[in-house]
Amino acid sequence: MRKILITGGAGFIGSHVVRLFVNKYPNYQIFNLDALTYAGNLENLIDIESNENYTFLRGDITDEVYINSIFKKYCFDDVIHLAAESHVDRSISDPLAFAKTNVLGTMILLNNFKELHKNNWKGKRFYHISTDEVYGSLGENGLFKETTSYDPNSPYSASKASSDHFVRAYGETYGLPFIITNCSNNYGKQQFPEKLIPLFINNVLNNKPLPVYGDGNYTRDWLYVIDHAKAIDMVFHRGNIYQTYNIGGFNEWKNIDLVKLLCKQMDKKLGRSVGSSEKLITFVKDRPGHDLRYAIDASKINQELGWSPTVTFEQGLSETIDWYISNEHWLKNITSGNYQNYYMKKYK
Ligand code: NAD
Ligand code: DAU
């Protein structure tokens, strides 16, 4: 039985990846390692938690002793590494936490993988999930390619860039068989409501202001999380080792246009008068070091592996809003306690 360690599997993207692997590959043993920080939520995985090929391990990737013990105990064949501190705004207020988890945590996993397999790499892979933010910011034109130089601007993207460099360095130095993917902005169900789309859905539901940073003319390339999980499945099985693949939605939106679309869809779904949610838009102080534009050239993964997004943005956004409307208990559970403190400090 192939034993795969998936880190960060209780988080947003990780839970979609764990679900896909557990259901699609009954002959794999999937180990989900997660520290259950504020962003990790086992409720995301209730539907598969009692499957025989699924094991949850609660632990921190920066805890060397613990990580060493589970590598020895379970002898994982492969790692799919998603655990990270993932929110740019939090990285601005607490950069060290990002260096610790994203850089040191990744190194501890790499070291343990290297020690476990001791150059016997046949059939093994260490798959590192990264972000397009490592490339920095684009102007009005152009796309990020796999060959674009790294130029990160936030503590979050600098920590992810650094972890990517370490992964590559382990490949060069020790021959460790890695793959890296750099993906654009994901959206979908079960995303923590600190990120733009779920935060704004939650605020519309509660008639709270929609805090648009700066003038709102920042551009992101949005991808439905299910399409990202499918790409991860393809790359894990058929991607070439020592390679990077960019993943994106070919779907650029200026923040302000996206927010207006979201408001329009929500008015309709909630039976509110046209334009009522848009009135909640409030322009607030800009994010420091705010990257103007991200856009991915995903032609390599398309040509080599045949991957392309399957869900249109209008459809994916509509399904996402529907999920949050029918799962208000999920939102209520995680927006109590610590989240309230974060929210009050940041937006009030
Ligand atoms: P998330 O914040 O929703 O989830 C992160 C998960 O990692 C949580 O379950 C958390 O408990 C866990 N975690 C955090 N620190 C840990 C630690 N020290 N030890 C063990 N577990 C820990 O993040 P996400 O949005 O699902 O992102 C997952 C990965 O994908 C990250 O590596 C992120 O950089 C990358 N990524 C995210 C996006 C996006 O749009 N969300 C886009 C591209 C790449
Ligand atoms: O590009 C991939 C990255 O996308 C991932 O690596 C990160 O983990 C993920 O958080 C995301 O980063 P962004 O900073 O692009 O996402 P966020 O949802 O925080 O913000 C999207 C845009 O919306 C960005 O231009 C900032 C803006 N924004 C965000 C928030 C939370 C606002 O205008 N107001 C807000 O309240």
Side-chain angles (χ1 to χ4, degrees):
M1 218 181 195
R2 192 169 184 179
K3 286 177 280 181
I4 304 175
L5 175 68
I6 301 183
T7 70
F12 168 50
I13 302 171
S15 58
H16 289 276
V17 174
V18 166
R19 177 176 301 102
L20 189 155
F21 273 68
V22 166
N23 287 331
K24 189 168 171 188
Y25 301 107
N27 54 332
Y28 293 174
Q29 187 64 34
I30 303 300
F31 295 84
N32 170 14
L33 167 67
D34 200 295
L36 299 182
T37 68
Y38 78 92
N41 185 354
L42 286 179
E43 212 186 318
N44 295 348
L45 290 166
I46 278 177
D47 53 323
I48 55 106
E49 70 183 5
S50 42
N51 283 43
E52 271 182 17
N53 65 336
Y54 173 72
T55 306
F56 175 67
L57 303 170
R58 184 170 188 179
D60 189 321
I61 56 170
T62 68
D63 180 345
E64 216 172 339
V65 174
Y66 176 74
I67 297 300
N68 193 254
S69 72
I70 60 169
F71 269 77
K72 282 207 172 105
K73 181 166 179 192
Y74 299 110
C75 300
F76 308 114
D77 295 297
D78 309 280
V79 174
I80 304 179
H81 176 36
L82 295 106
E85 289 292 341
S86 69
H87 190 40
V88 174
D89 292 328
R90 287 183 189 254
S91 83
I92 294 167
S93 40
D94 188 8
L96 281 184
F98 283 67
K100 189 175 178 209
T101 287
N102 299 357
V103 186
L104 181 66
T106 301
M107 290 186 69
I108 288 173
L109 291 171
L110 286 165
N111 255 350
N112 277 279
F113 193 69
K114 170 170 93 60
E115 287 308 308
L116 177 67
H117 295 298
K118 297 232 187 319
N119 295 330
N120 186 9
W121 299 126
K122 200 166 181 305
K124 312 281 189 294
R125 39 188 59 193
F126 187 104
Y127 180 3
H128 179 61
I129 307 297
S130 192
T131 170
D132 60 358
E133 300 200 9
V134 298
Y135 298 121
S137 183
L138 292 163
E140 294 294 335
N141 300 306
L143 298 171
F144 294 133
K145 297 182 188 308
E146 287 80 1
T147 50
T148 304
S149 301
Y150 277 29
D151 190 16
N153 292 313
S154 72
Y156 164 68
S157 53
S159 69
K160 291 297 289 186
S162 173
S163 65
D164 292 10
H165 288 321
F166 274 109
V167 172
R168 272 196 200 95
Y170 273 66
E172 283 293 324
T173 311
Y174 309 111
L176 185 143
F178 72 84
I179 305 186
I180 299 174
T181 49
N182 296 85
C183 188
S184 63
N185 287 60
N186 284 220
Y187 70 97
K189 69 173 186 176
Q190 294 167 338
Q191 185 171 31
F192 195 83
E194 61 186 352
K195 309 278 165 69
L196 182 74
I197 290 180
L199 174 75
F200 279 32
I201 293 173
N202 192 27
N203 284 14
V204 170
L205 287 174
N206 293 293
N207 275 307
K208 284 186 176 170
L210 305 177
V212 173
Y213 295 161
D215 60 7
N217 284 317
Y218 294 89
T219 301
R220 297 290 181 266
D221 168 3
W222 294 92
L223 178 68
Y224 198 43
V225 65
I226 305 280
D227 276 327
H228 188 189
K230 286 181 182 162
I232 290 173
D233 178 19
M234 258 185 207
V235 171
F236 177 74
H237 288 97
R238 295 198 284 112
N240 291 312
I241 55 169
Y242 307 123
Q243 290 287 312
T244 286
Y245 295 88
N246 281 352
I247 304 174
F250 294 107
N251 176 43
E252 288 184 50
W253 285 80
K254 279 196 193 308
N255 292 342
I256 190 66
D257 296 334
L258 185 161
V259 171
K260 286 182 179 165
L261 172 67
L262 184 145
C263 288
K264 206 165 131 195
Q265 288 198 357
M266 287 200 72
D267 282 345
K268 207 162 160 195
K269 289 174 193 292
L270 297 172
R272 294 184 186 169
S273 60
V274 176
S276 58
S277 298
E278 254 193 62
K279 289 198 190 115
L280 296 170
I281 293 176
T282 313
F283 292 94
V284 299
K285 195 164 160 280
D286 212 346
R287 171 185 280 175
H290 199 165
D291 286 332
L292 178 68
R293 177 171 163 258
Y294 306 142
I296 282 278
D297 177 352
S299 51
K300 178 175 171 183
I301 186 173
N302 175 263
Q303 281 156 19
E304 280 190 22
L305 305 179
W307 177 88
S308 54
T310 60
V311 179
T312 65
F313 189 57
E314 284 75 2
Q315 178 63 25
L317 185 62
S318 168
E319 283 175 17
T320 303
I321 295 170
D322 287 344
W323 185 84
Y324 281 96
I325 290 175
S326 22
N327 288 277
E328 275 202 75
H329 72 279
W330 185 94
L331 270 172
K332 289 221 163 73
N333 277 349
I334 56 167
T335 52
S336 56
N338 280 342
Y339 177 81
Q340 279 305 332
N341 300 335
Y342 167 79
Y343 189 91
M344 297 302 279
K345 253 197 349 229
K346 177 141 183 55
Y347 294 109
K348 299 280 153 157

